[in-house]
Amino acid sequence: MKLNRRSFIGSVAAASALAAPMVQAAGHGKPRVVVVGGGAGGATAARYIAKDSKGEIDVTLIEPTRKYYTCFFSNLYLGGFKNIEDIGHGYGTLASDYGVNVVHDWAVGVDRDAKTVALAGGSSVPYDKLILSPGIDFVDGAVPGWDISAQNAMPHAYKAGSQSELLRAQLMAMPEGGTYVMVAPPNPFRCPPGPYERISMVAHYLKANNPTAKIIIADPKPKFSKQALFEEGWNNHYGGMVERIGPDFGGENVEVDPGAMTVNIDGEVIEADVCNVIPAMKAGRIAELAGVTDGNWAPVNAADLSTKADPDIHVLGDAAQQGDMPKSGFSANSQAKVCANAVRGALTGSRVFPAKFANTCWSLIDTNDGVKVGATYEATPEKIAKVDGFISQTGESAEVRKKTYEESEGWYTGITADMFG
Amino acid sequence: MPRFSDVILPGLGVTGLVLTGALAFSTAGRDRAEFEASEAALNAVRAELDAAEARIAELNLATVTAEELEDAMERLAAFEARLAARPEGVDEAEPDPAPVVSVMLAGNAETGETLFRECRACHQVGAGAKNGVGPHLNLLFGRAAASVPDFRYSDSLKRAAANGLEWHADTLSQYIEDPRTFASGTRMSYAGMKDAQDRADLLAYLRTFSDDPSNIPEADPTAQGTDHEVDPEILALKGDPEYGEYLSSECTTCHQASGGDDGIPSIVLWPEESFVMAMHAYKDQVRPNQVMQMIAGRLSNDEIAALAAYFADLEK
Ligand SMILES: Cc1cc2nc3c(=O)[nH]c(=O)nc-3n(C[C@H](O)[C@H](O)[C@H](O)COP(=O)(O)OP(=O)(O)OC[C@H]3O[C@@H](n4cnc5c(N)ncnc54)[C@H](O)[C@@H]3O)c2cc1C
């Protein structure tokens, strides 16, 4: 799909953009990088470009929220291992210590000819290189009966923050012996082990507080990441509490009724006390508005994460279709650093080093029972390709599992410092 | 060092591994002259590979790669033979600097689909594939040999499975190159696919019917690009701190640049030598942490030196 059309979408935004003061056009003075989305990919990219260019590049970060709640460890919050404040991070240090111009607003359009980004507030920001890391949005109609207006009755909690708090409150309010239903997403989606770590954390909470409760997963996928490890863990820790209905038994044929709080799985209607619907995903909408998507995702070149559609627009993280890397915070952070190095090189002539990527996803199954899966990746002409990897083994000792969990705590501190300074 | 892993054809489909010719020799315990002779031989091969690589880069790869690589492989084989003929008395206990040459071909899944015609009489693959004369080939990569339910395997394959045979790019390539040599009693009556590029293409096609690492991170790799370049004088290497700074961004995903440590140790302000030794202990899998083995495993000695130089001076 080629979209070279100007993408100033939405007449309100376009009209107010005209009235707003225009920042000086690109091509004068310092090179300008605009980053849209201050999450795992965007915050990292903004910080590295600002830090490493030592003032040679103007970096603007556009992010609507004042505080970013990490999806990573949001399951641990559900399980009671973290407080909500533990997973919230502000942008103050990026502005004060790194000189990033942090603009709390939505990007609503990209004019690829004029090289400007339109903001919901009406202004327009010019760029020489644009980096989009907007995360995910949900595919309309993916789960019949569910849309974004139903997210209060049936939360997804797949963007962290108020949704996580809502789901936790619903979990705590479940009647004795009640039923928690998860509608799991189809591939590809952010954080392949995420739904199953969440099931573990929900079971952990219920075992202590509501031990006769039941958990049902309706799953459209025949297999999922770390399956043997999770199933072993559920068996050992939460025997009999978790039931997974895979596609062989109609797990992909699901309809919900948020008004009645019912879930219809292949003709069988279940009354849910909590219904966690995680619909199919696509790139955050701004990627589509910029005209760099093909289908649900934005195809990118492996060496620098530039889009196939426009060499001056890069897409990182969940929104990118890059090849073998799973959609994770670790991956987004890893891609951001490769992209930052390439963008800086292109704008200031600094040294560009070969792309190297890595990912590790830790999951917590129960107290001190951590597991992990990881791999390294390289850039090939076609895609980011997996080179090598490892996974925790079933039957590992409690000591190993505890170490793995402690490692994940260390990683969390490390990556959030790497993103926000 | 020239790497054939750099030879990846532009514009082709899924990448598949065909050949990994790894040859290693130990220098410890040999006399100087011998070592120098080996070095010279190795340098000659390096130069040849460089030339071949440059030529490949110049030409339209899709048409010449198979020949070029076959040619390179012949020369490598000759080199290997020369090394095999080395005098006895080499100290095997010290796994010293081992030059590793890894040769990889990219596979074209579309060509592979055409090649699969040779297999289709017996094997099905794709949606609704069932066992026929041979087992179905869905989810083939990463599965244990002789493990498809309801298929009656030869004793030969069952034995291999009991010995731990799993199907990955390398084992599959060896099997289809010459099935009877690989498993003498196999019931797969197929003469074998001799051409390395053909096997790469076929496997690239079959790979598309197995789990994708982007959905299941633990799924089989689609690339085989690791080559660990090793230098005899590891500790003497002078690191390039600017490269180290770039590489360090991979470390700071977990290790805090501020030197803080909780759950994951601090790595700043270490003496360079301790840093290098620790990294090599992971690289050689002497230290157990899986994440560190993975990360260190793909760092060259120069890269480890660069990191050591960078972190040794890091003040924040
Ligand atoms: C339950 C759960 C558990 C997870 N656990 C882990 C884990 O343990 N480890 C791990 O590595 N990953 C984990 N992940 C995955 C990880 O959270 C994501 O892969 C990662 O956040 C992706 O980074 P990103 O930059 O692409 O998007 P995000 O981090 O989602 O950031 C996108 C940002 O863009 C902003 N934005 C969107 N549109 C616009 C716009 N138009 N204008 C301006 N700003 C915009 C959003 O506000 C948001 O802040 C988990 C995810 C979930 C849901």
Side-chain angles (χ1 to χ4, degrees), chain B:
Chain B
M1 173 185 246
R3 294 178 299 145
F4 268 82
S5 47
D6 284 336
V7 183
I8 293 167
L9 312 190
L12 296 186
V14 180
T15 303
L17 162 84
V18 189
L19 287 165
T20 304
L23 52 100
F25 67 105
S26 167
T27 56
R30 261 190 287 170
D31 72 45
R32 190 82 207 152
E34 224 174 279
F35 172 63
E36 273 163 13
S38 303
E39 270 292 287
L42 182 61
N43 282 335
V45 174
R46 277 179 184 156
E48 280 178 348
L49 290 179
D50 264 339
E53 200 171 33
R55 197 167 136 61
I56 287 170
E58 250 169 43
L59 295 165
N60 179 342
L61 299 177
T63 56
V64 298
T65 308
E67 285 163 45
E68 293 278 353
L69 282 174
E70 228 163 78
D71 187 38
M73 283 311 288
E74 266 170 40
R75 274 176 291 126
L76 272 175
F79 180 52
E80 201 166 11
R82 242 187 300 166
L83 285 174
R86 72 187 190 273
E88 295 298 292
V90 172
D91 184 357
E92 304 287 355
E94 258 181 88
D96 231 60
V100 174
V101 181
S102 93
V103 178
M104 187 187 74
L105 290 178
N108 180 337
E110 270 171 47
T111 316
E113 183 172 5
T114 313
L115 288 164
F116 187 68
R117 286 201 197 123
E118 289 186 37
C119 320
R120 241 174 14 201
C122 301
H123 292 286
Q124 298 181 18
V125 72
K130 292 195 198 68
N131 293 335
V133 177
H136 77 76
L137 300 177
N138 289 342
L139 300 178
L140 172 62
F141 283 71
R143 98 183 168 202
S147 66
V148 171
D150 305 324
F151 186 79
R152 289 183 51 223
Y153 289 92
S154 63
D155 288 342
S156 171
L157 269 188
K158 281 194 247 172
R159 232 181 352 259
N163 287 330
L165 177 66
E166 288 180 355
W167 294 128
H168 303 288
D170 52 351
T171 49
L172 284 166
S173 181
Q174 288 163 23
Y175 187 39
I176 56 179
E177 178 177 9
D178 188 350
R180 290 252 151 68
T181 302
F182 190 88
S184 55
T186 181
R187 272 205 293 275
M188 183 159 93
S189 46
Y190 176 61
M193 187 175 275
K194 301 300 172 217
D195 185 88
Q197 184 66 57
D198 285 352
R199 294 198 301 277
D201 294 343
L202 179 66
L203 290 177
Y205 173 66
L206 292 176
R207 184 70 188 73
T208 63
F209 300 99
S210 287
D211 288 326
D212 186 325
S214 68
N215 297 325
I216 302 205
E218 58 267 36
D220 264 25
T222 63
Q224 196 80 14
T226 27
D227 68 331
H228 309 153
E229 300 172 31
V230 183
D231 194 291
E233 269 137 67
I234 295 171
L235 291 179
L237 282 177
K238 194 91 201 82
D240 168 355
E242 198 183 343
Y243 188 27
E245 178 173 11
Y246 166 72
L247 291 168
S248 77
S249 67
E250 190 162 63
C251 314
T252 53
T253 301
C254 302
H255 298 275
Q256 298 165 59
S258 66
D261 59 341
D262 36 352
I264 288 187
S266 162
I267 52 170
V268 303
L269 304 179
W270 284 33
E272 283 185 49
E273 197 167 305
S274 317
F275 188 97
V276 170
M277 304 223 298
M279 290 299 279
H280 282 282
Y282 286 118
K283 188 175 161 90
D284 301 338
Q285 319 230 322
V286 181
R287 286 199 186 184
N289 186 285
Q290 290 165 305
V291 181
M292 283 308 303
Q293 287 182 358
M294 169 181 89
I295 298 288
R298 71 200 286 256
L299 290 171
S300 70
N301 292 339
D302 284 324
E303 290 171 336
I304 290 175
L307 279 168
Y310 171 69
F311 278 118
D313 276 341
L314 187 66
E315 292 284 5
K316 183 142 180 187

Side-chain angles (χ1 to χ4, degrees), chain A residues 38-91:
Chain A
T44 308
R47 179 170 164 268
Y48 270 80
I49 294 172
K51 170 171 84 69
D52 294 340
S53 71
K54 303 189 173 70
E56 273 186 65
I57 297 176
D58 269 340
V59 182
T60 298
L61 175 63
I62 299 165
E63 164 62 53
T65 63
R66 300 299 197 269
K67 203 158 203 188
Y68 175 82
Y69 289 92
T70 58
C71 284
F72 25 110
F73 275 24
S74 68
N75 287 328
L76 274 63
Y77 159 72
L78 275 184
F81 291 88
K82 297 284 162 204
N83 296 314
I84 195 75
E85 307 85 66
D86 297 339
I87 62 169
H89 305 268
Y91 295 91

Side-chain angles (χ1 to χ4, degrees), chain A residues 37 39-41 63-64 68 71-72 106-107 133-135 190-191 318 328-330 411:
Chain A
E63 164 62 53
Y68 175 82
C71 284
F72 25 110
W106 288 94
S133 193
R190 70 166 25 162
C191 195
D318 292 354
S328 76
F330 200 126
W411 164 76

